[in-house]
Amino acid sequence: MKRLKNALTILFVVFFLVSNVYAADYAKHITVIGTSDMHGNIWGFSYEDNSETANNGMARLYTYIEGVRAENPNTILIDAGDDIQGTIMTDDIYNDTPDEPHPVIETMNYMGYDAMTLGNHEFNWGIDTAKRILGQADFPILSANVLNPDGSYMTGNGYVIKEVDGVRIAIIGTVTPDVPIWDGGKEGIDDMTYLAANVAVKNAIEEIGDDADVIIVSAHMGMYAEFDEDNGSDSAQKILDDNPGIDILQVAHNHVVVSEKQGSTVIGGCRNGGRDAARFDLYLDEDNNVVDSTVEIVDMTGVAPSEEIRGIPLVKEAHEKTISYVNGGGGEDGEGGVALGSTTARFQPENEIRGIPEGRVRDTAVMDLINKIQLDASGADVSAAALFKDTSDLPEGDINYGNIFDIYKFDNTLYRVNVTGAELKAYMEWSAECYNQWMPGDISISFDPEYPDYLYDMFEGVEYEIDLSQPKGERIKNVMFDGKPLEDDDVLSLAVNNYRYSSALKAQGLVSGKKDWESSSSIRDMIVDYFADNSPVAPFVTDNWKIVGVDLSKDDPRRADIIEAVNAGYLDPPYAESYNLSDYDALMAEAEANQSSSN
């Protein structure tokens, strides 16, 4: 035993010495902070709710960034796109105002960004608007795979080389080449060339040659292909597979946390709205070779917003102007606090289980209202729409523009297209893939975290069931239209927004027909007009669809105990995986331990 202890002691000492030799075996330390998908959230404020947020916004990011810069002066700041779209401030005020300073770019200039990559939402208003707004940046905007008609980079730069502490760092920016799927037809979009991201990065690396010691790729796309599964032109993993010499790979677009290491490459991605920052640390030797690297995704919860950012004159003006705009009903001057209309009651039921949105597990008045407006406007037989945010609701009483934005945050237009019964059912199956399969003993419905909430459409004009005891692709049952079973060769007209038409119906090959009608106004404007003409609006629910094939054991007292623990905050919400009654004892022990530690 004594020999064993001595041997273990020697091993520990050797490990300690080796670890410290390795830790000291670097001469330079460079930190890279990556942000993305900030979607116009400067202040840390929800204009649709007229309330401060607690864990996001560019002002919080700046507080964190300044702390890191104080810790390590050799810090660079990059962004992976989707920044000038996403709030009432950006979408309804500043993106439609020509030749005026843009508050997001003004803020990014103040924050001291070293580079920004284009995101797909930078294209929402067409090429000229994108170039006008982004042209206000004091830092390079990168677009290695988007080329002007003459073959030059759309933004003038595909990559930039920064020198920090004698280290030459190449930053290559690439956006998902799927931009024309969503925004094709808008001003200048179809005139651009969109290269496969892996090819564009390879071209840039070859052009850079020996001029850089470190290669960073800032990619506005997820790790895996969104549409091009065969070739991976929109896959960050494909970029890495074809270019193994990358030191840092920043991903974006999907609004999910990514933190991993593949070989010597550190990979990081953040959620949206300024919720996180990705911190990459590189350790280099005297010859500027990377000897170690780490990645950390830092949540902004608990970080105080920077008063410097909030004090920027344009930011303060834009914030106040947006609040006034919302309270004024979205009018030109935004003054007067005029309501757009009113309701007689709330439109969403209370969640039974914290974190499990009732609006996605049963038919609700919010979705029936949107689908009714789409059916009325289009004259279609069937309508499809999504609950873009799990908490979207209409309160009882007066309704302002922020409330409308809350239930429909995108500037989508409405299309009508003929579909067969088989095509409609295929589309419904695609939508129902957002759910996890229910297993015996599960106390709730849960959701596949790989499917963002905005991909789940609910349908009106047909009656149907979703059998969650079945695997994906086999869930849509008993579809009825006009009182009869929907046959595969029946032909119906479908109302669907332009985004879903392009990114799902066409890109996924679900529908062969082409649109035969397009609205002249946005769906959000249609909702505004509906309240103007029909207030007070009473919530109504058609209950035309329901989830079947599940037994949630609602009479079992064990289920009530688990739900009580979730709602009290002693267990995490079972969003991505349901709690199961078979784990009752372990769950109660975990809840008790969490309760004790919180007291």
Side-chain angles (χ1 to χ4, degrees), residues 338-410:
V338 178
L340 297 175
S342 63
T343 68
T344 62
R346 278 187 60 188
F347 273 57
Q348 283 279 30
E350 295 289 341
N351 293 341
E352 179 195 18
I353 304 173
R354 181 172 64 93
I356 303 298
E358 289 292 317
R360 295 181 67 203
V361 299
R362 58 170 157 146
D363 196 15
T364 66
V366 169
M367 294 314 305
D368 282 350
L369 174 69
I370 295 170
N371 274 319
K372 171 181 169 50
I373 290 170
Q374 293 188 170
L375 287 171
D376 290 348
S378 66
D381 298 313
V382 180
S383 174
L387 187 70
F388 293 128
K389 189 174 71 171
D390 287 345
T391 58
S392 292
D393 193 8
L394 290 171
E396 179 179 358
D398 287 345
I399 299 298
N400 64 26
Y401 192 75
N403 301 127
I404 304 299
F405 192 93
D406 185 49
I407 67 168
Y408 210 99
K409 67 179 295 184
F410 298 109

